[in-house]
Structure formats: structure tokens, C-alpha cells
Amino acid sequence: MSKYTANKNIITVAVAGNPNSGKSTLINAVAGTMLYVGNWPGVTVEKKEAEFEFQGRKIRLVDLPGTYSLSPYTQEEIIARDYLVHKQPDVILAVVDSTNLERNLYLAIQLMELDIPVVVALNVYDELEKKGYRINIRAMENMLGDKLIPTVATQKKGTDKLFKAIIEVADNPAAYRPKQLTYDEDIEDAVKYVEQYIKEKHPLLAEKYPLRWLALKLMEGDRQVMQETRLENEGFLAEGAVNHLRKAHGDDIEAIMADARYAQVTGLAREVLKKPDILKIELTEKIDRVVLNRFLGIPLFLMAMWLVFKLTFDVSMPFVDWADAVITGPFTRWVEVILGFVRVPGWVVSLATDGIIAGVGFVLIFVPVIFAMMFFITFLEGSGYMARAAFVMDRAMHSMGLHGKSFIPMLLGFGCNVPAIYATRTLENPRDKALTALLIPLMSCGARLPVYVLFVGALFPTHSGTVLWSLYMMGILLAVLIGIVFKHTLFRGEAPMFIMELPPYRLPSMRSLTIHTWEKVKHFIVKAGTYILAVSVLVWFLLNMPWGVKHKRDSLLGQAGQMVAPVLAPLGFGNWEAASALITGIIAKEIIIGTMAEIYIEEKKDKEMRTTPTFTEDLKKIGISFAAAVEDSVTNVFSTLKIASISTDNQAESRGLISVIQDTYTPLSAYAFMSFVLLYMPCMVVAIAMKHEFGTWKWFWIAFAYEIILAWTVAFVIYQGGSLLGLGG
């Protein structure tokens, strides 16, 4: 039984809801940046919590994974249910998409079975009203025994009223216990029979679990509950009223209960939901007739992704130029002056400037690109289009023995391959999980983006968006081809059917976009400030060992690069500098740029011999150049005469690394190099994620082997084929 304590210092609220119900948007609306991320005990799925004060009361929100039910079929459902049953929060906040009332209420009814007070947020209520629908809220409250509050999370409408209701319910739990909805006579007789048996034979279980919920789960044959309670072999579920229920309705009691719950939901919706006399064709349906067209769907998806990359460069590159000029100019000079003032040894100055700033600094320069990319992808996710992309790609996924649902973790891989690997747990079939995990590293993550930006900016300034788009499309195409190979070798079998919800199109709020984008970019920045910093220091030592080495090619890292370089020579970048950068890139792809910056630091310094400006002049120039970057960014977006602009002429002297890239690579060898970086192996964090998720290194080593071979082969074909066609200049 639930144990309630009124007037607690902190009110714990579990937030539950279907995917796409607006649950995350609602939490962000009230908590925003106060959200902090941890892990659920025993698993690697992230949990998000927030504590804040409302009308003098402390409220802790616990964001449960989005689920459609509390049946333990997926990791998300298990986590959500375990928390609700064993932690027993003070209040459950059920977020319901009011435009899809019946589907969302199915979860709400199961939440009520837990005998914990429930407050229902009827979210996206503005869209319901625009469609001409009406909900009789008072009647619905009487039927459910819960408080129902209409909300519009994107506009923060109804949130104050919602949390007033939560406090009222938490302070008076006995008055707001949810009504126990009754089913037909045979089901109710069986429930009473099991409840009585538990109270008589296992009274401790009756205290540990909500009694009615426990009875229903035992009747349904819930495997997890059976294991926890150890009641599998007691035989009472084949006797009495439960046996009569099976004889009258069939052996599958779980299906019987699902039908009974849906019947309750349907009846409730008919009572409280008033629809307009003439139903309009929804805007979502009109758009889907084009977007989901079997002939137009994939071309439109490719165009959408191209537009994302175009806008990414248009918006971000002026800020990349600005950050580059600040970090390699004034910031580096300030550090040198400060270290010189405190009289540190020369090697410490070199470590700080040639190692840390050149390594980490050159990675952080590309934060504007990462932010822009994540912003536009988050916009597509929030708008509902990414779900359509998975649907459109279903046919291509079937060709490699998967279904469209597997495309969702692969899309997440565009941000970072690590959470994408963990997202495979949403796939029910172990075969699908393993195959999807093997293909995810072919999705070009944000860590590779700085490498692309450097080379594209140096050698493809007038076609940057298109070149970047081609690399991402290459990853998707190769994933399809490799998937087909694996389907006929490692993973023989038919692809499962694909059933996926397509949410309505919505315009995400700027607040929600900003918060979600920051969460993704923060991962990149934290990584740059932690182990990329450590690796940059390690690279500096490897470039200066044996101690006092005069030429970097004779250092430990240079010697390793010289050993690998001959293998890369047929690919167009058989120099020790490129080989050394690729070696360090095994740890993380961003480090490739930092390593190149450290290797080429001498060339850069030779071109920076000029009059040193004063501190005031530096600050003035930083402010003026930032204003110019803002102006250039806006101009780029609205310009119809060019693709993204990447300035490499005026700043070539200050951007020494770009100058060296231009002198060392041709467009053909640069494209082969970028293709190799895209394909050559997952980073070490992805390796750890694969081991964590599957409990074995097997799948990582398979991914490592096939990607090394694939990367070399593709780069070879690009460079040698391009050379034969006369494209090597």
C-alpha cells in the first residue's frame, strides 16, 4: 500500500507520459536549466531531475522515460514502472496529449492502478481547441477522481495552476486517491480472489506493493513481478475465479486486460470529448501526403538534410572565424604574457600555448558549428519531421534486415554515437540491437565535424554546405550497403514489422530548442575540457620526446606516424603529420584537429610576427569583430547568391593551420582524408558504450575491423579514381 506523508519538506513528483506528449517541454518550461542528469541505478539510461521552489514549497521533478504502457517490454517501461512501484513518489504528474486523448489515457489508467495520487496535465490544449474539440473537464475529473489541468507547455500556460494542484494533492493525499475503475464481473471476481489470497498467504507483499496492481500483474503473468514475488509455482492463478476468467474469455489474460482498459478509455473519451460536426482535414495530414509520398519522401529528406548543413555553415562560420582569431591571437598572447610575468620555465609556456591552447583551443573554435548543427537537428526533431524521416527510411532499412525504428538511434548518432548506442535498447530484438549498433558509427557524429569544417573551409569555401552534406549522405548510404552485407552473413533472418507513432507537426518553442541544443553541445564542451585536454598534453609530450628533439618528425609521435604513413600513401595523405593525427583520433575524433594544430604550430608562429597590440586594442578588436561576425551570419542566411561563406583570404595569415592545409592537400586528397575520418573506427568512448550495452567486446571488434577496411577502401577509390579522372589538382 502507498504510504503518504503530508506537508513533506520536498514534494517528489514523477512525470510520466507517452513519447511526443510534450512531457519534456513541460518540464523545461517550469525547470529549464535547473535540470540535472544522472543515471538510474543499475542502468545507463539517463534520468533527469530538477528541484525548484513554487509558492514557498520545494518540488522535485523526476522525469520518467516516455512510455506507452507500464508493461515490462522495453528498458524505458521497466525503469518507469520500477521507480513508481518501489520509490512511490508523492504525486504522479501524467502528461496527456489532449489531441490524442484515447491513446494517452491508456497509460494514465495504468498509473491510477498504482494507488498513488495522480494529477493530469491536458497538454497542447490550444491545438485541441483550434481543431474545434472540447473536453468536459469537470465530468472527466469526476470519472477519474484526479485533478485535470489544461496546459500549453510551449507557452507556459496553465503551469502555475498545475503546480498549485500538485501541492494541494500532495498535502491531502487521502482525499485525492485515484478512483479504481472497475471492469466486467469476471475480471473483478478474479481480482478479488487474488487479492484475498495475497492478504492471507503473503501479507508482507500486500504491504510492499499496491494490492490491486499486484493482483492484476500476477493475473497477466507479468514475468518481472512473478520473479520479484516468487509466486510462480504456487498454483493459485489456475484456480477459482481466475480459472473461470480463463474459461470464459481465453487464456491470454494480459490481452483481456488490455481490451478492458481500452474499453474504459474509449467509453470515457466518448463521454467527455465533444468533436466538431464537420471534421477538417488536418494540416498534418495535408503535409504528410507530400512528405510521406513513396516517390518524394526520400528526396525531400535529402533536401532537408542539405538545408540543415547549408544553414549550419551560413550561421556558424563567421563565429568560427571570430573564435579562431581570438584564441590564436589575443588569448594566446595574454597567456604568454601572464606566464612570462610569473617567470615559469620556457617548456611550461610551450606546453600551455603549443599544447593546451593549440590542442583544446582549436577544438573549441568549432563550438559554433556544433551548436548550429545541433540546433537545426533539434528543430527537426521537435517539429515532428524526424519521425517521418524514420518512416520514409523504413523501406531502405528493410533492405538490410532492419525496420524504420532502428533509424532513430542512427539519427541520434549525428549528434553523438555514444547515446545512439544506448538508444538501441529501445529495440526489442537482440539481433536488431546488435546490427544497429554496428551501423551507428557510420553516422557522422559531432566530433568529426571540426575536421570537416577545417578541410572544407580550406579547400571548398564556395561549396561548403554541399561537401559537408555529401559526407553525411555517404555515411547513410554505406550504412545501407554494409547492412545488406551483414543481413546475408552475420544476421540472417527477416526484418520485423515497423509500427511507429507519427506525432503532429508542431513549431518548437525557442526556449525548448535552446535547452535541448545546450544539452547536446555541453557534452562536446565537457569532453574538450576533460580528456581532450589530457590528450592534448600527452600529444605535446609525445611531440617533444625524446626530450629536446629538434624536429617533430623525430619525436615519439612522429616516429609512429612515419610507420603508419606508407599505408596511407595510396590514399593521398601519406605524410607523417596526417598519420600521427589519425592515431590520436582513435581516442576521439576532435583530437585530430588539436594534434594537427600542435604539429603545425611552428608554421603558424612564423606567420604571426607582427606588432603586438595593447590589451585595450585587443578588447576593442574583439568587440568589433564579433559585431561583424553577427552581421556576416545574418547576411549569409538571407543571401540567395551563394552557398555558405567561409572566409579564407583575409585571415589566411592568422589562421596558420588553414594555410598549411591548403599547401599540403589538394581538394581530392582532402576529401579522401575526410572520408577516412568518417569511416575509420569508433572512438574509445563508443567502444566502452558497446561493451557496457552488450556485455562483450565482440561487437566493438567487429565494428573496428570492418570500419578500418571500409575506410581504407573508400578513401583509396576516391583518391585513385579521382586521379584517373583528372581530378587530382
Side-chain angles (χ1 to χ4, degrees), residues 503-693:
Y505 292 101
R506 295 191 177 108
L507 186 65
S509 70
M510 183 57 66
R511 176 184 173 85
S512 176
L513 281 175
T514 304
I515 290 173
H516 284 97
T517 300
W518 168 244
E519 288 175 356
K520 295 172 183 176
V521 175
K522 183 170 63 175
H523 171 77
F524 178 84
I525 295 175
V526 169
K527 193 160 64 168
T530 52
Y531 69 85
I532 290 180
L533 171 62
V535 173
S536 295
V537 173
L538 175 62
V539 168
W540 183 88
F541 277 103
L542 291 176
L543 285 170
N544 288 276
M545 299 292 289
W547 193 252
V549 64
K550 293 184 177 179
H551 302 290
K552 292 180 179 178
R553 63 175 295 124
D554 298 324
S555 65
L556 295 179
L557 183 58
Q559 292 175 37
Q562 291 179 65
M563 292 175 61
V564 175
V567 180
L568 304 176
L571 314 183
F573 43 90
N575 54 72
W576 72 268
E577 295 94 339
S580 300
L582 291 172
I583 290 171
T584 60
I586 290 173
I587 300 171
K589 297 298 186 290
E590 306 98 317
I591 297 173
I592 292 174
I593 295 299
T595 303
M596 284 188 162
E598 293 188 52
I599 289 173
Y600 291 125
I601 199 72
E602 290 176 356
E603 289 86 343
K604 188 179 69 166
K605 275 190 172 182
D606 291 341
K607 297 177 181 180
E608 288 182 345
M609 300 298 294
R610 54 171 67 91
T611 303
T612 303
T614 65
F615 181 73
T616 304
E617 290 172 337
D618 276 338
L619 291 179
K620 182 178 179 181
K621 187 175 181 180
I622 289 171
I624 293 173
S625 60
F626 182 80
V630 173
E631 182 181 354
D632 288 345
S633 179
V634 174
T635 301
N636 283 350
V637 172
F638 289 99
S639 173
T640 57
L641 300 177
K642 54 186 176 182
I643 313 291
S645 65
I646 301 181
S647 173
T648 59
D649 47 2
N650 296 330
Q651 297 184 13
E653 289 189 355
S654 65
R655 299 179 68 183
L657 187 53
I658 278 188
S659 299
V660 175
I661 295 299
Q662 290 171 330
D663 294 339
T664 308
Y665 293 83
T666 65
L668 183 61
S669 63
Y671 195 81
F673 183 84
M674 290 187 290
S675 301
F676 193 89
V677 170
L678 163 67
L679 302 171
Y680 80 104
M681 68 160 286
C683 70
M684 291 309 300
V685 186
V686 172
I688 295 169
M690 284 187 168
K691 170 63 168 63
H692 203 173
E693 187 64 21

Side-chain angles (χ1 to χ4, degrees), residues 482-494:
I482 296 299
I484 293 172
V485 173
F486 283 156
K487 174 187 176 182
H488 293 94
T489 53
L490 294 176
F491 300 95
R492 292 188 177 92
E494 291 296 321

Side-chain angles (χ1 to χ4, degrees), residues 296-327:
L296 297 177
I298 290 181
L300 286 174
F301 168 67
L302 298 178
M303 288 177 60
M305 297 306 295
W306 175 84
L307 184 61
V308 165
F309 300 127
K310 176 189 181 301
L311 288 173
T312 294
F313 270 87
D314 286 345
V315 171
S316 66
M317 286 314 300
F319 295 102
V320 171
D321 289 341
W322 173 81
D324 185 14
V326 171
I327 290 176

Side-chain angles (χ1 to χ4, degrees), residues 180-318:
Q180 296 298 335
L181 302 180
T182 57
Y183 304 108
D184 71 31
E185 186 177 351
D186 289 338
I187 293 175
E188 291 301 324
D189 287 346
V191 171
K192 290 176 183 176
Y193 174 82
V194 176
E195 286 180 342
Q196 189 63 31
Y197 180 88
I198 295 170
K199 285 192 286 187
E200 291 178 359
K201 303 291 185 180
H202 301 280
L204 292 179
L205 290 178
E207 294 181 7
K208 182 178 179 181
Y209 295 93
L211 185 57
R212 181 177 175 85
W213 177 86
L214 178 60
L216 288 168
K217 290 301 160 187
L218 291 172
M219 288 165 51
E220 293 173 5
D222 188 299
R223 184 172 57 186
Q224 187 177 2
V225 172
M226 289 288 193
Q227 291 173 349
E228 288 182 9
T229 58
R230 300 178 182 177
L231 297 179
E232 303 102 310
N233 302 318
E234 295 204 8
F236 66 97
L237 294 173
E239 301 171 354
V242 181
N243 186 43
H244 174 74
L245 177 65
R246 282 200 171 92
K247 288 181 178 179
H249 298 275
D251 287 336
D252 192 348
I253 295 182
E254 185 178 15
I256 294 170
M257 289 308 307
D259 289 343
R261 291 188 184 103
Y262 273 117
Q264 287 275 12
V265 167
T266 302
L268 175 65
R270 286 178 180 172
E271 287 289 330
V272 302
L273 183 63
K274 183 179 180 181
K275 300 180 180 180
D277 295 333
I278 301 176
L279 293 177
K280 299 181 294 183
I281 299 178
E282 300 291 341
L283 178 61
T284 290
E285 186 178 346
K286 292 178 182 178
I287 297 175
D288 279 347
R289 288 177 181 176
V290 178
V291 171
L292 300 182
N293 182 278
R294 61 180 301 181
F295 300 109
L296 297 177
I298 290 181
L300 286 174
F301 168 67
L302 298 178
M303 288 177 60
M305 297 306 295
W306 175 84
L307 184 61
V308 165
F309 300 127
K310 176 189 181 301
L311 288 173
T312 294
F313 270 87
D314 286 345
V315 171
S316 66
M317 286 314 300

Side-chain angles (χ1 to χ4, degrees), residues 11-151:
I11 301 172
T12 301
V13 180
V15 187
N18 290 177
N20 302 308
S21 63
K23 179 169 63 73
S24 296
T25 304
L26 180 62
I27 293 174
N28 286 329
V30 297
T33 55
M34 289 181 289
L35 281 172
Y36 56 91
V37 177
N39 283 318
W40 297 97
V43 296
T44 52
V45 172
E46 286 185 347
K47 69 172 178 179
K48 295 179 182 178
E49 295 186 11
E51 285 187 13
F52 62 99
E53 284 196 12
F54 181 81
Q55 295 186 342
R57 301 294 298 277
K58 287 187 178 180
I59 297 177
R60 176 189 295 133
L61 296 180
V62 180
D63 183 13
L64 300 179
T67 62
Y68 292 103
S69 74
L70 294 181
S71 301
Y73 294 123
T74 67
Q75 186 78 36
E76 284 75 11
E77 290 169 343
I78 292 172
I79 290 170
R81 196 178 78 175
D82 281 354
Y83 180 84
L84 293 170
V85 172
H86 298 300
K87 299 295 183 181
Q88 292 195 342
D90 300 297
V91 179
I92 298 174
L93 172 55
V95 182
V96 168
D97 180 352
S98 56
T99 64
N100 290 286
L101 194 61
E102 291 188 33
R103 187 199 66 213
N104 282 247
L105 282 178
Y106 183 76
L107 174 64
I109 282 181
Q110 293 183 75
L111 295 173
M112 291 169 58
E113 292 171 357
L114 293 167
D115 197 30
I116 299 172
V118 177
V119 174
V120 178
L122 291 171
N123 203 26
V124 291
Y125 205 77
D126 56 335
E127 292 187 16
L128 178 94
E129 293 178 325
K130 286 179 184 177
K131 293 178 178 180
Y133 287 60
R134 293 291 183 273
I135 294 177
N136 188 333
I137 293 177
R138 179 164 294 186
M140 193 171 173
E141 286 183 332
N142 290 335
M143 291 178 184
L144 296 177
D146 303 327
K147 276 191 168 292
L148 279 79
I149 310 297
T151 59

